[in-house]
Amino acid sequence: METTRLVLPGPAPTVRDAATLCARLARLYEDGAGTVECDARAVTAPGLGAVEVLARLRLIARGRPLRVTGAAPPLRALLGLVGLVELLGEPEEGEPPGRVQEGVEADDPAV
């Protein structure tokens, strides 16, 4: 599956950027994009605008592969605070990494 890049504007995406980026992401999926990577290297001063942009992009993805790459520590921390850390491809705190099965005890009830 081919990965398509969507570049986020820097240094701080705004709410105004959201509509353009969402339309672009929707078009990418309509054109058959598999995995989309949002390149966040230019985002050096993230704020609530960046959170809104990424949250709206996640909604557009609707379960299709979407991942943020190149996120600097301030953006990573902000995404962690608002519960969007999964966009970074990392498990949330207290969650096991993806595709890792937790241990099962012999007397655990079936789920």
Side-chain angles (χ1 to χ4, degrees):
M1 186 182 303
E2 190 173 317
T3 300
T4 305
R5 238 175 95 209
L6 177 68
V7 179
L8 299 179
T14 65
V15 175
R16 287 185 222 151
D17 297 319
T20 303
L21 291 166
C22 286
R24 192 173 306 151
L25 180 62
R27 236 181 355 264
L28 289 172
Y29 285 131
E30 287 170 9
D31 291 342
T35 299
V36 176
E37 286 186 352
C38 291
D39 183 343
R41 283 182 282 181
V43 181
T44 57
L48 293 179
V51 170
E52 181 160 346
V53 166
L54 290 169
R56 290 171 100 187
L57 289 172
R58 181 174 176 229
L59 289 173
I60 294 296
R62 291 189 191 118
R64 291 172 282 205
L66 176 69
R67 185 174 65 236
V68 176
T69 60
L75 180 56
R76 296 172 84 76
L78 193 55
L79 291 175
L81 286 172
V82 298
L84 292 173
V85 73
E86 73 274 1
L87 288 174
L88 298 169
E90 300 171 356
E92 292 187 48
E93 189 173 321
E95 293 291 321
R99 296 188 179 98
V100 173
Q101 184 174 355
E102 293 184 36
V104 179
E105 299 296 322
D107 57 344
D108 281 349
V111 180

